[in-house]
Structure formats: structure tokens, C-alpha cells
Amino acid sequence: MQTTQPDAPRPWVASYPDGIAWDAPIDTTPVHEQVLAACRKNPSGMALDFLGGTTSFAQLARAIEAFAGALQKEFGVTKGSRVALMLPNTPFYPIAYYAVLRAGGTVVNCNPLYTVTELSHITGSAGADIMVTLDLQQIFEKAEALLSVGHVKDLIVCHFPNALPLVKKLLFSIAKRKDLANPRKSAQASRVAYFDDLLTRGHQPEAVSIDPHTDIAVQQYTGGTTGLPKGALLTHANIAANMSQIDKWGCGLFYPPSKVVAVLPFFHIFAMTVCMNVPLCNGTPVVMLPRFELKALLDLLTRTRANVLPAVPTLLAAIARSEATKPEQLASLEVAISGGAALADEVRHSFGKKSKALLAEGYGLTEASPVVCCAALRKPSRPMSIGMPLPGTDIRFVDVDTGEVVGTGQDGELQVKGPQVMAGYYADEEATRAAFVDGWLRTGDVGHIDEDGYVFLVDRIKDLIICSGFNVYPRTIEEALMGHDAVEEVNVIGVPDDYRGEAPVAFVKLRDGQSIDAHGLKLWLADKLNKIEMPREIIFKDALPRTLIGKLSKKELREEYAQTKRKAP
């Protein structure tokens, strides 16, 4: 529960949009109870749209209850059982997610793009005996491998074509049949059950007593950019509280007649909360894509007239920079919410030329369920700010070296308190202790707050470059380079330097048809960066490495650069 000191200064409260109160009551009703209540309230309304195939709220509720009953009666799922979901965005995901919670279990999200080794760590660490997955070959073969080595004991397989509307189902069965696995021919077939079969058995789930503040709803594994992923324990209250905070911040944005686009994957914490839980619990339709493809997204917006688009900056950049994107295709959009990574000013402006939608940047982390701060969703906010702390959320900035709280405008590590903050890391007391200071969650992000309560982030502590004793923030260099017309993407890392200790190196991807050399870029940067910030090297690449959710990745660049230097004569 929230432990914020009642007399903590909150300069942001005075800047809150009209109608939003920081101290408004926070609803911690478990999410599965909320979604089933929404289904009862509007049974005939559309809950899900997947490539044109629709699911009503009544159908959603029946499937949740039937699958929850099957999990209890045929697999022994009870309070605390870990159930892994390895599913892309399809109707199967929300059904399975809410059913696991209804049965008393804990959801363990697995990225289908992970390697078997990465998945083995997650399922093994979590103790997830059951995995729900798809019969698409590329996904099923990973699940089968986990089953064969004992990292999961049972598979529940969803038949992908059954998620499609009739015509697309028939076409898929003809043209894409080779993409489907045949689990019945698997060497592990005796340990495979089928999602549709389980639903038809009509099991009714038994009631489970849930304590929202202590029982774990989701064991969400972190991205693992600094070692092996850790399992953040998110209670039912953590998940519900963040939903309630976002709901209040949205001032009705997530209620009908809105439609929310889910192109970000549900297995990622941002999409799980903002694209799925918040809208569905308010009776608002969610329109899904299984993965991001620009044409498919533009077609979806044209067809559904959806008005809310949660996105990551790389997705927004793809929309903004493509000549294929026409303003009329984005005409229905009212609000785009950027999260998951810093939003470059260049992307903000480029998107604004294509769409009249309000573009709001938010900020969060897995350990906070995830949203901590967000720009206003109904009116323009302060440029380059991640907005203000959500209702019920307290923040402070602490000097990275001394641990002392810093004043307005001074840079320090962002630390957070609020009802959305995790209970800790699973089976890792040392990591849990390291994550908190006096009850405040350490984020590892550096920034400051201005006199009006707007929050600005500078960079990650671990990405900070120390040059000749001075702090150099990669984001400062990245923003400067992104201002050049020839530059499409840039990522900056710190590398060892015999003279300065560390030095910045910039990796740049140019726009198609553009050319400039490193000397030309450095000349252009001369009046935009000081001498310490000037990159020691500018390296051009055809593509920059990304994480599995599309964020630019510094980890791979550091490894690549170090390997290159080791090979150098």
C-alpha cells in the first residue's frame, strides 16, 4: 500500500488539469472482477476486434469463466499457481489472462520472440508448470522445447486460425497452412491440451478469496538489459491501482465511444495495462494487431476509426516518416500516448505534421505496474516533459553521489512511492533491498522537476558517461543529432578513453537517399554541443539494434564496439 508521507511537497498538484484530484480514492478491486463486471454491464457491446473478427463482452465473459474452470478442475490451478502466457495479441490472450486471475493463479508473461534459453530462465525461475501458447510453428516449437526439458509440465495450445474472421480463416488454412504446427504429432503430445476443447467442457470456476494487497496477480519479468531478467511481483492492488490512476488521468478518454488500438504486445507491461486492462474494464473496445506493420495499422485505423493509440517512439517515427502515411488515415486519432522510451523532439514534430492528435509522453517501469508520470491527455503539456505524477503518486529526485534530496531544477535519480509500486522481486531479497531506499523505489533514471511540477528526464544512470570528471548524457547528444535532416536514428554509448576516462560514441542511421560524413555531422554539432559532449566517433550503420519491443538498444552496441576494438590490430 502507499506509504507516502502526508506532508511531502507536491508542486505538480497545482498544475493538474481541471477535474483531477491527486488524493482521489484509488480503486484496488482485482482486475478480473472489474472486467467481468464490465461484461455484465454491456453484454452485447464489442470487446475485441482482431483483424475484423469481433468478440462481444458476453462472449468474453463466457470464455473467461469456462477457461478459469478448466484451469482449476483439470490442471489444479489455485491461489499462487504460476501460469505462463506465450501469446501474441489475439483474443486468446485477454481470455487466458483474466481466466488465470479468476482461477486464483498468477500470470507470467513470456515474449514469443525470446530464445528458448531466455524462456527457460523465466519459466524455471517462476515455477510455471503450465504454459498457454499458439500452434504457429515458430512459437509452438519453443513451447515444445520447454516441455521436453521439463521447464513446463503442460501446454495448452490455441489454434490460431480460430481467432480469425471466417474468410481470413479459410484463406489462412489454404495459403499459410505450412506456418502451423501439428501438436498432435509432437513427441510431447500426451502433455498437450487444446484451448477450444477446454472451453467446450463448460467447467464453472470456484470462488477464490483474493487479498488484493498481498496476493500476486502478475509476475512480470524485467527486460534484462543489466543481467538476467528479474520477476517483479505485482499484486492485484498494484495492477488495479495503476488502472484507477490512469482512468482518472484520462478524464473519460478510456470510456465508450472510444476505441483503443493494441498494436503493442499485451505481454509487455505498458500494453497490458494501457491497451487492455484499462479500456476493457471500462467497457471500451480494444482493436488488435498481432504485430506492427505500418500498412496494417493504417488500414486498421481507417476501418475502425479508433481514437486512442498507445505507442513506442519507434512506432510513432515509422508513422511520421513514411510517405505512405496520409493525414486522412490518422484523422480519427484524438490521442497518441508515447511510452517505453524517450520521445525525441524530432519525432514529436514529424508526427505533428501527419496527425492532429494530441501526442502525450508518459513514463513508467515494470516495477510500477507501470505508469508513474504522464503528460495531460486532454490538453497540450509542457514540451519535452514526461508530464506529472499520476494521482496518488509521489516522486523525489536524489543526488546520485550523496543520496540527498535535490531541489527544484536540479538533476538527480527519480524515486517513486505509490500504490502501483511492486511488492518486490520474486525469490530475490538482495535485488529487492537494492531497489528501494527508505521505502522509495529507485528507478535508475536521472532528471529533475520544475517549479510547476513538470518532470523532465535526462538519461539512465547506467548510461551516464563520465568524461574528464564531467557528466555527459547520451540523450543530449542524441537529441542534437536527431535535429539534422539527414539523420533518421541515433544511439550514443560511452566507451573507455585513455585520456578522458570515457568518451561518447554515436551510432547513426541515415534517412534513405541522404548522405553526410562524420566530419560534416561534427561541424554541424559544433554550436550545439560543448567539447566534452562532442562524440569521439560517429559510426554509420544500416540498422541500429533494438530490444524485442522496439526500443533502441545500447547493450548490443557496447558489445559490438568492444568486440571490434579487441579485433583491431
Side-chain angles (χ1 to χ4, degrees):
M1 295 182 65
Q2 188 173 3
T3 56
T4 303
Q5 298 174 1
D7 57 349
R10 301 182 183 110
W12 54 86
V13 173
S15 298
Y16 263 19
D18 292 343
I20 302 177
W22 182 90
D23 57 355
I26 301 296
D27 186 359
T28 57
T29 303
V31 61
H32 61 282
E33 295 181 17
Q34 293 193 47
V35 79
L36 288 170
C39 292
R40 290 190 295 270
K41 185 176 180 180
N42 184 25
S44 61
M46 184 182 75
L48 306 171
D49 178 312
F50 181 68
L51 302 177
T54 61
T55 303
S56 71
F57 277 100
Q59 291 170 322
L60 178 62
R62 285 196 295 271
I64 291 169
E65 294 282 5
F67 194 49
L71 289 172
Q72 287 180 337
K73 293 180 170 58
E74 300 200 25
F75 295 90
V77 170
T78 185
K79 189 153 74 168
S81 298
R82 263 60 179 177
V83 180
L85 305 185
M86 187 165 66
L87 295 165
N89 287 7
T90 59
F92 305 123
Y93 184 95
I95 293 168
Y97 176 92
Y98 296 121
V100 171
L101 301 184
R102 171 69 178 84
T106 296
V107 169
V108 178
N109 279 311
C110 294
N111 187 333
L113 297 178
Y114 276 172
T115 65
V116 172
T117 300
E118 291 169 317
L119 293 166
S120 294
H121 167 72
I122 292 174
T123 55
S125 164
D129 291 336
I130 305 163
M131 172 174 276
V132 185
T133 191
L134 273 185
D135 60 358
L136 288 176
Q137 183 66 47
Q138 289 185 334
I139 298 175
F140 178 76
E141 63 185 15
K142 296 177 184 179
E144 186 180 31
L146 295 171
L147 193 63
S148 66
V149 297
H151 285 295
V152 295
K153 296 178 181 177
D154 293 289
L155 288 184
I156 299 173
V157 178
C158 308
H159 186 46
F160 176 72
N162 286 348
L164 300 170
L166 181 59
V167 173
K168 290 181 179 178
K169 179 178 179 179
L170 294 173
L171 291 173
F172 186 93
S173 299
I174 296 169
K176 299 283 188 177
R177 191 171 187 84
K178 65 181 184 302
D179 294 339
L180 289 176
N182 187 348
R184 299 183 192 279
K185 293 185 178 180
S186 168
Q188 311 297 324
S190 63
R191 295 156 65 191
V192 176
Y194 298 92
F195 181 84
D196 291 320
D197 291 347
L198 295 174
L199 293 191
T200 60
R201 292 174 193 172
H203 292 299
Q204 289 301 306
E206 297 177 5
V208 180
S209 178
I210 297 292
D211 182 338
H213 298 286
T214 59
D215 291 332
I216 305 303
V218 178
Q219 190 165 311
Q220 186 78 12
Y221 280 79
T222 59
T225 56
T226 55
L228 289 173
K230 299 183 289 291
L233 297 173
L234 305 178
T235 66
H236 287 269
N238 291 153
I239 299 288
N242 203 225
M243 291 166 49
S244 181
Q245 292 166 315
I246 295 165
D247 188 46
K248 296 178 192 307
W249 195 250
C251 297
L253 179 65
F254 295 98
Y255 285 79
S258 284
K259 293 179 182 177
V260 177
V261 176
V263 62
L264 300 180
F266 291 141
F267 55 73
H268 188 265
I269 188 74
F270 179 25
M272 184 192 81
T273 298
V274 180
C275 299
M276 185 180 76
N277 283 340
V278 173
L280 288 180
C281 288
N282 288 330
T284 297
V286 172
V287 294
M288 295 176 282
L289 283 176
R291 63 183 180 276
F292 172 63
E293 292 178 351
L294 181 59
K295 182 180 184 304
L297 176 59
L298 295 175
D299 288 346
L300 177 144
L301 290 171
T302 301
R303 176 177 63 82
T304 67
R305 310 299 296 168
N307 62 314
V308 182
L309 175 66
V312 292
T314 49
L315 189 154
L316 295 169
I319 293 172
R321 293 169 179 160
S322 174
E323 294 182 1
T325 305
K326 306 303 179 187
E328 57 268 23
Q329 295 170 302
L330 305 177
S332 66
L333 278 184
E334 295 178 30
V335 179
I337 305 168
S338 178
L343 179 65
D345 198 36
E346 181 274 332
V347 175
R348 188 189 307 270
H349 286 294
S350 296
F351 185 82
K353 293 177 181 178
K354 291 287 181 74
S355 173
K356 295 180 180 179
L358 186 151
L359 177 53
E361 185 173 6
Y363 165 82
L365 62 165
T366 299
E367 292 84 347
S369 306
V371 186
V372 172
C373 296
C374 192
L377 298 177
R378 292 297 197 179
K379 65 176 186 179
S381 192
R382 196 152 291 178
M384 302 304 293
S385 169
I386 58 170
M388 294 172 281
L390 295 187
T393 304
D394 270 315
I395 65 168
R396 69 180 187 181
F397 287 92
V398 174
D399 188 278
V400 174
D401 297 316
T402 68
E404 298 294 321
V405 176
V406 300
T408 301
Q410 294 179 285
D411 284 339
E413 181 189 20
L414 172 61
Q415 298 181 354
V416 181
K417 276 186 179 181
Q420 73 270 49
V421 173
M422 69 172 182
Y425 293 116
Y426 179 69
D428 198 336
E429 293 183 7
E430 182 179 351
T432 299
R433 285 194 298 271
F436 291 90
V437 176
D438 300 328
W440 292 83
L441 174 67
R442 300 187 59 191
T443 68
D445 288 299
V446 176
H448 61 269
I449 190 168
D450 71 12
E451 64 280 0
D452 295 321
Y454 287 88
V455 180
F456 296 81
L457 291 186
V458 179
D459 230 315
R460 295 283 295 165
I461 289 176
K462 67 181 180 66
D463 294 333
L464 179 66
I465 305 168
I466 310 296
C467 294
S468 303
F470 294 93
N471 291 349
V472 172
Y473 295 104
R475 187 178 177 186
T476 301
I477 304 169
E478 290 162 357
E479 286 284 349
L481 281 165
M482 286 293 290
H484 195 288
D485 290 341
V487 174
E488 180 171 325
E489 292 180 332
V490 59
N491 206 348
V492 173
I493 63 170
V495 303
D497 184 272
D498 292 338
Y499 179 67
R500 295 191 283 174
E502 282 188 298
V505 170
F507 292 82
V508 171
K509 177 188 177 188
L510 296 178
R511 296 179 188 270
D512 290 342
Q514 296 289 325
S515 64
I516 189 171
D517 61 12
H519 178 68
L521 276 180
K522 285 187 177 183
L523 285 176
W524 189 79
L525 289 171
D527 62 348
K528 298 170 179 64
L529 300 175
N530 62 45
K531 291 182 179 180
I532 294 174
E533 293 170 328
M534 182 64 69
R536 187 181 76 184
E537 297 177 69
I538 296 177
I539 299 171
F540 295 93
K541 294 179 69 68
D542 293 333
L544 298 182
R546 301 181 183 279
T547 68
L548 292 174
I549 66 158
K551 291 194 283 187
L552 292 173
S553 174
K554 298 184 189 295
K555 181 179 178 182
E556 284 80 357
L557 290 177
R558 292 189 185 103
E559 293 170 352
E560 176 186 315
Y561 189 87
Q563 186 176 15
T564 301
K565 292 305 173 184
R566 283 195 296 269
K567 291 180 178 178

